[in-house]
Amino acid sequence: MARFDVTPVIRSCVTLERPLARKHGAALKWQTSVESLYLFGDSGALYQVLTNLIRNAVDASQNPKSAVLISLDRVADNLVLAVRDGGQGIAPEHLPQIFDRGFTTKPPGKGSGIGLAVVKEITEAMFGGRFTWNRALEAERRSR
């Protein structure tokens, strides 16, 4: 546990996940308004959070040449890390379960169901943050 700069950790993760995303037909795009911002915790844990989110977003992006956007912004005293994909979204009946250990919408052998649970646990316990799902975006996706 130490003080670390968030931006290079995220940039490194995006760079290392790009080949896997490309292999699955998705492009990773990175944008930030934050040059440098420090958190206290384990930089490897933040890396794990982002890796899980990116891989879920890539899996959800079934359209050829789809993009996954990773953004980092500061809003007041909050750091906002967002991962957006162009997938179909999660069915409304599954939303209450997405953070439950073992829950997955992926076919057998394709997902363990622990990724989002780990993301939520690390975000809340280590960094004092919260993980939210953009329900407005989900509603928009379903209406397409």
Side-chain angles (χ1 to χ4, degrees):
M1 300 274 283
R3 187 172 178 259
F4 68 95
D5 190 349
V6 172
T7 306
V9 172
I10 295 172
R11 185 179 300 118
S12 172
C13 184
V14 171
T15 298
L16 290 173
E17 289 296 316
R18 266 198 182 109
L20 177 67
R22 205 173 301 125
K23 180 179 174 185
H24 290 280
L28 294 186
K29 298 189 186 263
W30 159 242
Q31 70 182 37
T32 184
S33 62
V34 178
E35 285 186 39
S36 184
L37 193 133
Y38 288 84
L39 287 178
F40 184 81
D42 179 358
S43 62
L46 177 62
Y47 194 93
Q48 182 179 6
V49 163
L50 190 54
T51 298
N52 280 324
L53 292 174
I54 288 172
R55 290 183 181 182
N56 277 352
V58 167
D59 285 349
S61 300
Q62 299 299 319
N63 300 337
K65 299 186 181 181
S66 60
V68 173
L69 175 63
I70 298 98
S71 62
L72 179 67
D73 297 295
R74 186 174 188 160
V75 178
D77 288 336
N78 297 308
L79 178 65
V80 179
L81 172 63
V83 178
R84 295 177 181 93
D85 63 65
Q88 292 186 354
I90 295 177
E93 64 270 18
H94 295 308
L95 285 173
Q97 299 169 285
I98 62 172
F99 299 116
D100 294 349
R101 280 190 177 272
F103 176 78
T104 183
T105 59
K106 295 177 183 176
K110 296 291 183 182
S112 65
I114 63 167
L116 289 179
V118 167
V119 165
K120 186 173 190 255
E121 288 170 18
I122 291 171
T123 300
E124 291 175 352
M126 181 168 296
F127 299 114
R130 67 176 196 256
F131 186 90
T132 60
W133 202 264
N134 188 327
R135 294 181 193 280
L137 184 56
E138 281 299 317
E140 178 187 320
R141 285 179 177 174
R142 285 190 302 279
S143 69
R144 286 189 234 159

